[in-house]
């Protein structure tokens, strides 16, 4: 197994780290049968991949064996931001039959945290993600890991996430507080439920803490390029 260095990319700012820990706790308490958790969003740039990455790392820091599975075969954020090696093999290589599974799993400098990157772009991502080969991969990973965190493409743009829903024990919706409108979020929720997906929570991201019209209590923290004005705001709830 090859290794990649990702430790310096984990959120370290106190409030952001605390918000991730709260999200981690809620995922753990979703139930012992919830092992494969997908994250989706309305659109790109909603922060879904950053949250997926940090959630997976946080779960691994509790001693659980975790793999982060990047299924965005069209436009992977993890490939762009976390990897500086153009020779990384990943899910696209495996689903296309180019590489075996042993060649696409990368260890990291965080103990118990492995990553399967998206790898090569493919012309037919939805078909490959709906294939028996992908289904078999997820089932095999369930036997080897305590948690599989699946970074899916935004459901508001493509159907790739929908075809994977039968393989996910639960899904987290990442909502961008800056731009995701209520009707858009309701539409994504409806799409998930129509495909028999189980929504286990919602993550409110990119919250404007200077907006006095709203209050997010303990959920929040400054992070990244948003400086003092914007940050994570995690609201976690269950749908019955």
């Amino acid at each position: 197994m090859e290794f990649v260095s990702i430790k310096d990319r984990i959120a370290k700012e106190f409030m952001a780290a605390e918000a991730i820990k709260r999200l981690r706790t809620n995922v753990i308490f979703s139930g012992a049968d919830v092992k494969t958790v997908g994250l989706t969003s309305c659109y790109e740039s909603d922060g879904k991949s950053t949250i997926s990455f940090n959630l997976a790392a946080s779960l691994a820091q509790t001693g659980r064996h975790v793999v982060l599975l990047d299924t965005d075969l069209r436009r992977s954020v993890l490939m762009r931001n976390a990897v500086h090696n153009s020779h990384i093999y990943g899910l696209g290589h495996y689903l296309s039959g180019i590489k075996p599974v042993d060649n696409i799993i990368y260890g990291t400098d965080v103990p118990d945290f492995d990553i399967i990157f998206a790898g090569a772009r493919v012309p037919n991502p939805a078909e490959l993600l709906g294939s028996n080969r992908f289904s078999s991969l997820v089932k095999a990973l369930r036997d080897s890991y305590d948690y599989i965190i699946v970074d899916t493409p935004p459901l508001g743009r493509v159907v790739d996430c929908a075809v994977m829903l039968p393989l996910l024990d639960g899904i987290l919706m990442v909502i961008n507080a800056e731009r995701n409108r209520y009707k858009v979020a309701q539409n994504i929720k409806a799409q998930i439920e129509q495909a028999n997906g189980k929504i286990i929570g919602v993550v409110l991201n990119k919250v404007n803490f200077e907006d006095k019209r709203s209050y997010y209590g303990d959920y929040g923290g400054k992070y990244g390029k948003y400086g003092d004005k914007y940050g994570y705001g995690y609201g976690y709830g269950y749908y019955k």
Side-chain angles (χ1 to χ4, degrees):
M1 179 186 292
E2 293 191 44
F3 283 78
V4 293
S5 178
I6 51 89
K7 205 169 190 177
D8 61 340
R9 297 181 181 276
I10 297 173
K12 297 180 176 62
E13 195 278 336
F14 177 77
M15 291 300 289
E18 286 300 304
I20 286 288
K21 288 178 182 177
R22 292 189 183 97
L23 180 61
R24 175 190 72 192
T25 299
N26 284 313
V27 168
I28 292 171
F29 279 92
S30 293
D33 57 337
V34 178
K35 293 184 59 175
T36 306
V37 179
L39 284 86
T40 194
S41 60
C42 298
Y43 304 117
E44 63 278 356
S45 302
D46 285 342
K48 166 186 55 64
S49 295
T50 299
I51 294 168
S52 299
F53 174 82
N54 281 285
L55 173 60
S58 187
L59 283 165
Q61 288 169 344
T62 66
R64 293 169 172 85
H65 198 196
V66 181
V67 62
L68 173 61
L69 177 57
D70 180 6
T71 63
D72 194 343
L73 301 179
R74 300 173 189 264
R75 202 175 167 189
S76 170
V77 171
L78 287 172
M79 286 292 291
R80 293 200 310 268
N81 296 345
V83 180
H84 300 292
N85 184 351
S86 60
H87 300 293
I88 287 285
Y89 297 113
L91 185 61
H93 296 92
Y94 171 76
L95 295 179
S96 300
I98 298 171
K99 290 291 179 181
V101 65
D102 291 345
N103 289 161
I104 66 167
I105 301 177
Y106 289 80
T108 74
D109 48 359
V110 175
D112 295 314
F113 181 23
D114 295 339
I115 299 179
I116 297 177
F117 293 99
R121 287 191 180 186
V122 295
N124 54 340
E127 289 78 5
L128 290 177
L129 292 171
S131 67
N132 290 332
R133 189 171 177 84
F134 180 71
S135 176
S136 297
L137 172 64
V138 173
K139 290 176 182 177
L141 293 175
R142 288 180 67 92
D143 292 335
S144 301
Y145 292 90
D146 297 315
Y147 282 99
I148 308 167
I149 302 301
V150 186
D151 182 17
T152 78
L155 191 51
R157 293 297 191 197
V158 291
V159 299
D160 300 6
C161 174
V163 303
M164 290 185 280
L165 287 174
L167 300 174
L168 304 178
D169 300 322
I171 192 156
L172 292 167
M173 288 177 57
V174 177
I175 303 297
N176 184 335
E178 290 184 281
R179 66 173 181 171
N180 292 165
R181 298 188 180 277
Y182 175 78
K183 287 186 178 180
V184 175
Q186 284 292 96
N187 182 48
I188 299 302
K189 176 177 178 288
Q191 288 185 58
I192 294 171
E193 292 175 340
Q194 287 170 7
N196 295 319
K198 179 184 178 183
I199 301 173
I200 60 171
V202 174
V203 182
L204 187 63
N205 194 35
K206 298 189 179 180
V207 179
N208 183 348
F209 292 103
E210 292 182 355
D211 187 348
K212 303 304 181 183
R213 294 172 298 175
S214 57
Y215 175 69
Y216 298 98
D218 290 334
Y219 301 111
K222 302 182 289 294
Y223 184 72
K225 67 178 181 179
Y226 296 97
D228 294 334
K229 188 178 179 183
Y230 297 101
Y232 289 143
Y234 292 98
Y236 197 95
Y238 290 89
Y239 291 91
K240 296 182 180 180

